[in-house]
Amino acid sequence: RNVVFMGMGEPMDNYDEVHESLRGLTHQYLFQLGAKHITVSTVGASARKIRLLADEAPQVNLALSLHSAIQESRELLIPSANANPMKSLGESLDYHSAKSGRGAMLEYLLIDRVNDSDAEVDALAKFCQDRNEHKPTPNSKNSKVFVNLIPYNPTLAGNDFGYETPSDDRIYAFHNRLKDLGVNSLVRWSSAQGRDANGACGQLALNSSTVL
């Protein structure tokens, strides 16, 4: 059994209740779920909350919706990112890694001509390399960050911004560049399943210009 706090609003904006639910899920007289089977996903707007999660629930996995390692690009995609610049964000991930002994999972939505350029992949690789150089504990077995590359699935909201899915060649080039630079990553091709029915990753939203 696995539990993921994702797609339900920003968990760190509701931290106290999320922490209480984590306690309930892992309590021996309640759900008895191992903390390593739980993941909390965040856009990383608060370095303090990431550190707090590391202090209070260090064995819970952390996933970060990064989408760009260039501050300006990241703020374009995630406006709240202006509250937590890349340096502060990286330091909070290092702190979490030191406490948990594991690296974070970085979610990266690939959007054609928005965050899939050579400059973007090199910035992402540098951000990951900096995290991987951080030595949490001598017994850490999985302290390196892992990048999930998620090809963009078309939506009406994205159409308003001109967002498109990168070509397969561009996705492979981005992925191969990360691998060449020593970054563990995977293309989540499965995220496109259900695209023809508007049921793929990121498409579970209103898909009509008419509101009833």
Side-chain angles (χ1 to χ4, degrees):
R1 294 179 298 169
N2 296 294
V3 172
V4 182
F5 288 79
M6 178 185 289
M8 52 191 291
E10 170 55 47
M12 298 303 185
D13 285 347
N14 196 30
Y15 180 83
D16 291 341
E17 285 71 20
V18 167
H19 181 243
E20 283 300 308
S21 68
L22 291 174
R23 292 181 62 187
L25 287 168
T26 56
H27 197 285
Q28 61 179 329
Y29 295 124
L30 294 175
F31 293 95
Q32 299 182 344
L33 191 64
K36 293 183 179 180
H37 292 279
I38 303 173
T39 299
V40 174
S41 178
T42 178
V43 297
S46 172
R48 184 180 68 84
K49 295 289 182 62
I50 292 175
R51 290 172 181 264
L52 190 59
L53 182 69
D55 288 333
E56 298 186 340
Q59 295 307 306
V60 169
N61 298 305
L62 177 67
L64 171 71
S65 294
L66 185 64
H67 308 319
S68 177
I70 298 174
Q71 184 65 26
E72 294 78 8
S73 298
R74 192 161 192 269
E75 288 184 22
L76 175 67
L77 296 168
I78 308 173
S80 62
N82 63 3
N84 193 14
M86 293 303 302
K87 183 175 185 297
S88 172
L89 179 61
E91 290 173 349
S92 66
L93 293 183
D94 292 343
Y95 183 88
H96 186 276
S97 179
K99 289 285 187 175
S100 68
R102 298 188 305 281
M105 180 183 298
L106 306 183
E107 309 290 350
Y108 197 101
L109 184 68
L110 279 170
I111 307 174
D112 186 41
R113 292 168 294 174
V114 174
N115 64 348
D116 65 342
S117 67
D118 291 344
E120 289 281 358
V121 69
D122 287 346
L124 174 59
K126 179 63 167 60
F127 183 78
C128 294
Q129 290 165 351
D130 289 346
R131 309 286 72 76
N132 291 342
E133 289 175 358
H134 182 74
K135 305 293 184 182
T137 61
N139 297 323
S140 296
K141 297 180 179 180
N142 192 26
S143 60
K144 291 187 176 182
V145 297
F146 186 89
V147 179
N148 269 328
L149 297 174
I150 307 169
Y152 169 74
N153 290 312
T155 65
L156 283 178
N159 291 345
D160 291 342
F161 293 93
Y163 290 168
E164 296 180 353
T165 307
S167 68
D168 288 358
D169 287 345
R170 184 57 201 154
I171 293 170
Y172 281 123
F174 196 101
H175 184 214
N176 289 334
R177 177 64 174 166
L178 281 181
K179 290 194 297 183
D180 290 343
L181 293 172
V183 177
N184 292 330
S185 60
L186 179 71
V187 178
R188 291 290 180 184
W189 293 108
S190 61
S191 66
Q193 293 178 358
R195 183 182 290 177
D196 58 340
N198 294 317
C201 180
Q203 290 185 316
L204 298 179
L206 183 66
N207 198 31
S208 170
S209 58
T210 301
V211 179
L212 301 178

